[in-house]
Amino acid sequence: MTKTDSAQAMRTKSPASEKVTLTFDENGQQKSYHLPLLTGNLGPKVIDIRDLYAKTGYFTYDPGFTSTASCDSAITYIDGENGILLHRGYRIEDLAEHCDFLEVAYLLLHKELPTQKQFEDYHHEISLHTLLHEQLINFYKGFRRDAHPMAIMVGVVGALSAFYHDSLDLHNPYQRELASTRLIAKIPSMAAIAYKYSIGHPFMYPHNKLKYAENFLHMMFAVPSYEYQVNPVLAKAMNRILVLHADHEQNASTSTVRLASSSGANPFACIAAGIASLWGPAHGGANEAVLNMLTEIGDKSRIPEFIKRAKDKNDPFRLMGFGHRVYKNYDPRAQVLRKSCHEVLQELGIKDEPLLGIALELEKIALDDPYFIEKKLFPNVDFYSGIILKAMGIPTSMFTVLFAVARTIGWVAQWREMIEDPIQKIGRPRQRYVGHEQRNFMPLNQR
Ligand code: ACO
């Protein structure tokens, strides 16, 4: 068996004898049902409840899916208690330190790290698709200049479905590959144009000799009237940010992509759905929210006031960049970015950046505070990424767009895994109905 069969292996690994027993009273009679217990390669065992309703007439209840595994996956593993993140078995710290973003993309999509030759071929393949259809560029001109770039991204990425009819057939492996390549190649170009449009600058065409992160910086910051040299320290930091955001298991936007595509919808429309989900401040919008929060705090002396508000049950305010659904320890991505943050500020000669000063002080105070300790609220990846991006000159409204550029790899890899999974079916959760029972209808004139 090859490593690439690991998703299949997870299904067959559990001895058939491993079961859990569910016992309950039904009309005064005690009934027991045996449910299979499945084991993955790492992480908790899962109780297979697929037949539960058919056997018992009961649903399970799990708002937010906090205890529900929705699929088998061999892409990403997170151990939230110990702050571990692995992609196809490799530690995120190693990938962020040593890999080009396209190496990680290749790993997520093709299940192994590329050889030098495979990497060069993949880079070439991607570079053939970096241009946008000129007609698509007209779409941008229909948006207001002050539109949020995520609003533009939802629109233009969805619009790709109208341009590439030859890569919409999910059941055709060649078309799936082509759609994946197009999405990964075009998303930085689409993001950079959204920015250029907002500031009224001419759009910069991609420069295919550059690496993925460099090319993105080039399309964001170059102008036709000057020669633009990509700063290697900033390119390294951008590459790291992209690698750190490439995938994160079954998070809200990835689950959205999977759920949308489970109906057979085309990949471009599904990635647009992922972008919409990512936009929310509890997910990808958090680094923008962190920066807004640090600006609002404004001075270290006001930190205690904001900590107090974060702890107040009657105040909806939360400390942005703190807490995570899965990590109940330091987010390993935040550790990498903390270091990167200092490198970038030093390279740019930004001493005493006030927002970083507030961020570091806030981090220190929160990590010592019994409320945050008890609830296991640690800084997450968004806590530092906003400061780095701001220092690079990227406007806050583009932060989530950048996250979407990186996460497109994860969405595409997860989408392909789902389509290739023989047990995949349309996603259709059930509910606990708490509305009216059946009642008699009254015509309008009698109400
Ligand atoms: N500040 C203050 N209190 C918090 C915070 C926070 N940032 N996060 C969680 N809590 C508290 C909650 O009030 C809750 O308290 P309670 O048990 O007394 O009711 C407890 O900690 C658990 O919080 P939940 O919301 O139930 O945890 P959940 O796993 O659903 O939420 C989330 C995770 C959404 C990330 C949350 O921690 C949050 O809103 N953080 C701020 C936004 C943020 O930084 N998001 C980025 C996430 S990372 C990413 O998407 C890349």
Side-chain angles (χ1 to χ4, degrees):
M1 184 177 62
T2 67
K3 279 184 202 164
T4 55
D5 297 326
S6 51
Q8 193 56 38
M10 284 195 289
R11 277 178 211 133
T12 51
K13 211 175 164 196
S14 288
S17 57
E18 277 202 275
K19 291 193 186 312
V20 292
T21 304
L22 181 69
T23 307
F24 53 90
D25 265 353
E26 200 174 76
N27 305 326
Q29 241 195 338
Q30 207 177 54
K31 293 207 166 169
S32 292
Y33 290 97
H34 302 297
L35 299 163
L37 197 58
L38 307 179
T39 316
N41 288 343
L42 291 170
K45 294 181 180 184
V46 299
I47 303 167
D48 182 350
I49 57 163
R50 278 175 291 179
D51 292 340
L52 186 73
Y53 177 60
K55 281 184 174 165
T56 67
Y58 290 133
F59 293 150
T60 54
Y61 183 64
D62 185 16
F65 309 118
T66 52
S67 301
T68 298
S70 60
C71 59
D72 284 338
S73 183
I75 299 173
T76 294
Y77 171 73
I78 305 173
D79 175 348
E81 291 301 323
N82 294 304
I84 293 170
L85 168 60
L86 308 176
H87 290 320
R88 303 239 182 241
Y90 296 105
R91 277 166 21 110
I92 190 65
E93 293 89 336
D94 292 331
L95 298 174
E97 190 57 36
H98 304 293
C99 288
D100 182 83
F101 182 61
L102 283 187
E103 270 179 272
V104 177
Y106 187 99
L107 172 71
L108 296 190
L109 291 169
H110 300 287
K111 303 168 186 167
E112 295 295 339
L113 282 167
T115 61
Q116 182 67 34
K117 167 90 172 65
Q118 286 168 331
F119 175 66
E120 283 162 17
D121 289 349
Y122 188 53
H123 187 271
H124 177 67
E125 178 68 21
I126 292 290
S127 70
L128 296 177
H129 294 273
T130 50
L131 285 175
L132 300 192
H133 194 297
E134 289 289 318
Q135 191 71 19
L136 185 68
I137 294 175
N138 289 337
F139 274 56
Y140 287 83
K141 297 176 183 157
F143 286 96
R144 284 171 54 128
R145 294 265 175 197
D146 63 355
H148 195 289
M150 282 299 270
I152 297 180
M153 292 300 280
V154 172
V156 290
V157 173
L160 289 174
S161 333
F163 284 79
Y164 298 111
H165 298 138
D166 60 345
S167 50
L168 302 180
D169 180 0
L170 305 181
H171 305 295
N172 178 326
Y174 170 75
Q175 294 202 19
R176 283 204 296 273
E177 186 70 36
L178 186 56
S180 310
T181 306
R182 281 178 170 151
L183 277 160
I184 294 161
K186 291 181 196 306
I187 198 95
S189 313
M190 299 176 97
I193 293 180
Y195 170 59
K196 288 293 196 186
Y197 180 71
S198 73
I199 55 170
H201 276 192
F203 307 147
M204 293 302 293
Y205 285 101
H207 194 330
N208 286 339
K209 280 225 165 86
L210 297 174
K211 292 179 171 173
Y212 199 88
E214 291 172 342
N215 199 14
F216 181 59
L217 288 173
H218 157 79
M219 290 187 287
M220 286 285 291
F221 296 119
V223 284
S225 43
Y226 280 102
E227 184 147 342
Y228 177 77
Q229 288 292 337
V230 181
N231 178 317
V233 175
L234 302 193
K236 189 175 171 197
M238 178 56 73
N239 185 67
R240 262 193 200 144
I241 290 178
L242 293 175
V243 169
L244 292 173
H245 289 84
D247 190 53
H248 212 230
E249 207 225 60
Q250 308 310 318
N251 55 84
S253 57
T254 303
S255 297
T256 301
V257 171
R258 280 187 178 255
L259 195 56
S261 54
S262 74
S263 69
N266 77 70
F268 304 109
C270 296
I271 300 300
I275 294 174
S277 167
L278 186 74
W279 193 0
H283 190 9
N287 55 7
E288 185 175 345
V290 169
L291 220 65
N292 293 339
M293 176 190 76
L294 294 176
T295 311
E296 196 190 340
I297 294 176
D299 190 88
K300 286 182 194 173
S301 63
R302 295 189 65 206
I303 292 176
E305 178 194 325
F306 281 81
I307 297 263
K308 196 170 159 216
R309 282 187 60 195
K311 296 195 281 191
D312 182 354
K313 280 262 147 276
N314 300 317
D315 189 330
F317 173 78
R318 281 186 169 196
L319 221 48
M320 288 292 133
F322 273 77
H324 197 277
R325 170 58 61 81
V326 181
Y327 293 115
K328 302 303 168 195
N329 201 324
Y330 223 108
D331 179 340
R333 301 167 302 170
Q335 300 272 37
V336 177
L337 278 192
R338 192 175 199 266
K339 188 172 149 229
S340 219
C341 192
H342 287 285
E343 280 173 16
V344 167
L345 295 180
Q346 193 178 358
E347 172 66 16
L348 296 173
I350 302 175
K351 289 195 192 107
D352 308 324
E353 157 61 62
L355 295 187
L356 181 66
I358 297 170
L360 292 180
E361 186 66 17
L362 187 65
E363 182 193 23
K364 207 160 72 192
I365 294 176
L367 287 176
D368 261 355
D369 190 296
Y371 173 92
F372 290 87
I373 295 170
E374 237 167 65
K375 296 191 187 297
K376 299 187 177 171
L377 300 170
F378 290 86
N380 58 47
V381 66
D382 293 311
F383 192 65
Y384 295 104
S385 60
I387 299 166
I388 302 180
L389 296 175
K390 179 175 185 280
M392 283 182 178
I394 293 178
T396 42
S397 61
M398 281 296 289
F399 289 1
T400 321
V401 175
L402 221 138
F403 192 161
V405 169
R407 187 53 59 84
T408 295
I409 302 293
W411 291 330
V412 168
Q414 300 267 354
W415 163 71
R416 281 165 49 143
E417 183 176 65
M418 190 190 85
I419 302 295
E420 288 160 18
D421 186 341
I423 63 165
Q424 182 265 330
K425 22 164 95 186
I426 186 165
R428 176 54 171 93
R430 303 305 300 258
Q431 64 176 11
R432 180 167 71 114
Y433 177 69
V434 294
H436 283 286
E437 291 181 14
Q438 186 171 316
R439 50 186 176 154
N440 294 331
F441 176 76
M442 286 276 202
L444 186 59
N445 61 2
Q446 292 171 32
R447 273 176 244 153

